Amino acid sequence: MPNVLITGTSSGIGLATALELARAGHQVYATMRNPARAPELGRIASAEGLPISILTMDVDSDRSVSDCFAEVYRREQHIDVLVNNAGVERHGAVEELPMDAFRDTMRPITSVRCVACARSCRPCASAERLHH
């Protein structure tokens, strides 16, 4: 069963992706900043008996990213797929939202988040390439 780590699974596309991949038979590690504030995924996974483990990860924190990936590697020794989905969501009409709301969602840290997660997958991916 392939192991998948997905960031930003508290709602929306991340939540839907976690459910879809688990229903297809993948072991899913669903990450979010605060699992206690987003219990929907856990309820569905439990009700359907899905192979989803919910872990805490704040992609803005290098320590949080490192700790989360270490936990997955401790359990599985490898990650087959990384879905970088975490982001910041803002609600409202474009003409009504303050510019700072857009800056927060488009700031350079967004790219850095993806790189931090991809780099955390690198040790395992590098080891796999050596054996193939």
Side-chain angles (χ1 to χ4, degrees):
M1 176 174 3
N3 299 313
V4 180
L5 188 145
I6 307 170
T7 66
T9 60
S10 61
S11 64
I13 293 171
L15 185 144
T17 301
L19 292 171
E20 185 71 22
L21 291 175
R23 288 171 179 149
H26 301 298
Q27 172 60 54
V28 173
Y29 289 91
T31 71
M32 57 186 82
R33 280 186 304 240
N34 188 344
R37 288 182 53 206
E40 181 181 7
L41 180 59
R43 280 196 300 264
I44 295 169
S46 180
E48 295 184 27
L50 297 173
I52 296 176
S53 295
I54 299 172
L55 302 173
T56 300
M57 180 167 63
D58 179 353
V59 296
D60 279 334
S61 164
D62 291 343
R63 179 60 178 226
S64 180
V65 170
S66 176
D67 289 349
C68 184
F69 274 86
E71 175 61 20
V72 174
Y73 288 138
R74 185 187 68 72
R75 294 181 189 188
E76 299 292 344
Q77 290 74 52
H78 68 283
I79 296 170
D80 298 303
V81 178
L82 168 64
V83 179
N84 265 318
N85 176 68
V88 178
E89 181 179 10
R90 299 288 184 241
H91 296 279
V94 171
E95 63 274 11
E96 295 172 2
L97 286 172
M99 283 306 294
D100 284 343
F102 294 103
R103 287 184 186 97
D104 285 347
T105 60
M106 304 305 277
R107 62 191 164 138
I109 194 78
T110 302
S111 299
V112 174
R113 292 174 186 146
C114 291
V115 171
C117 290
R119 288 176 58 101
S120 293
C121 276
R122 189 180 57 161
C124 188
S126 296
E128 295 239 345
R129 276 196 297 267
L130 289 174
H131 295 7
H132 284 48

